[in-house]
Amino acid sequence: MTRPAARSVGVAMFALACLTSPAMSQHEPDTSASDRAWGRAREASARAMIRTLDMTSFPNSIGPRRVAGKRTLADYGFTVVKGFDDGWAYSTEPDNSWQIGVFMLKDGRRMKRLCVTDVAIGGGTYRSTTAIDVAARSDGTWHAVRVLGVVSGCG
C-alpha cells in the first residue's frame, strides 16, 4: 500500500522539478509588455461595450421585460461586469441567474461586430448566441444595426 503513495510523491516531485527547471522555463511563452497592453486594451473595450450596448436594439431575452426608458444591461439589473484580455466580457444579475456576454469580433472606431451570448444560469435552460453589427450613437450607447446570426468565430 505504501508503494503507490511513494510513487505519486515521486511523480509530483518530478513534475515540480520540471516546472521550476531553468531548461523548462525557456519553453514558457514570453508575454511582452506590448502584449499585456494590447490585452488590457481589448478587455477595456469589451467592458465598455457590455456597459453601453443598447439591449432594445436587437432580439434577446430582455425583450419580454422591456420597460420604456431602459436600454442598457445596468438598467435591467445586470450590475456585475467581468472582462477578459481576449476581448470577451459578460454581465450578470447580482444573483448570477442570468448572464449576457459579448466577444469583440471586429473592433472599429464607429462600427463593431459582436458575438452576443445570452444564457440562463440559475436553473434555466435558455441559451442563445448571435452576431450583431453595432454602431455608436450620439448618446454614448452602441445600437445594433444588423443581426447576422451565426458567423465565423461566433457560435
Side-chain angles (χ1 to χ4, degrees):
M1 292 285 177
T2 60
R3 187 171 188 125
R7 182 175 179 186
S8 64
V9 169
V11 170
M13 289 177 64
F14 174 77
L16 181 60
C18 287
L19 291 172
T20 58
S21 162
M24 293 303 286
S25 66
Q26 70 184 357
H27 300 289
E28 293 176 9
D30 179 28
T31 306
S32 67
S34 63
D35 288 343
R36 288 189 303 273
W38 181 80
R40 284 191 300 274
R42 283 191 51 114
E43 177 183 352
S45 184
R47 281 168 150 292
M49 180 55 61
I50 200 78
R51 287 187 172 112
T52 58
L53 182 60
D54 181 348
M55 298 302 294
T56 65
S57 66
F58 64 98
N60 59 69
S61 65
I62 289 180
R65 57 179 166 170
R66 283 197 180 145
V67 175
K70 291 186 176 187
R71 294 188 307 171
T72 67
L73 286 167
D75 292 340
Y76 286 96
F78 289 74
T79 56
V80 179
V81 175
K82 178 85 173 147
F84 302 92
D85 64 3
D86 63 353
W88 166 259
Y90 68 83
S91 186
T92 63
E93 294 175 310
D95 66 356
N96 205 35
S97 62
W98 210 270
Q99 178 185 53
I100 295 180
V102 298
F103 178 72
M104 306 288 282
L105 296 169
K106 292 183 183 175
D107 192 1
R109 208 175 118 223
R110 301 285 304 154
M111 182 77 78
K112 299 179 188 299
R113 179 163 290 168
L114 308 175
C115 180
V116 180
T117 60
D118 191 347
V119 183
I121 298 172
T125 58
Y126 182 85
R127 179 172 179 78
S128 172
T129 303
T130 192
I132 59 174
D133 285 341
V134 295
R137 297 179 82 173
S138 60
D139 65 358
T141 61
W142 289 83
H143 184 83
V145 293
R146 185 175 10 196
V147 177
L148 303 165
V150 178
V151 299
S152 179
C154 178

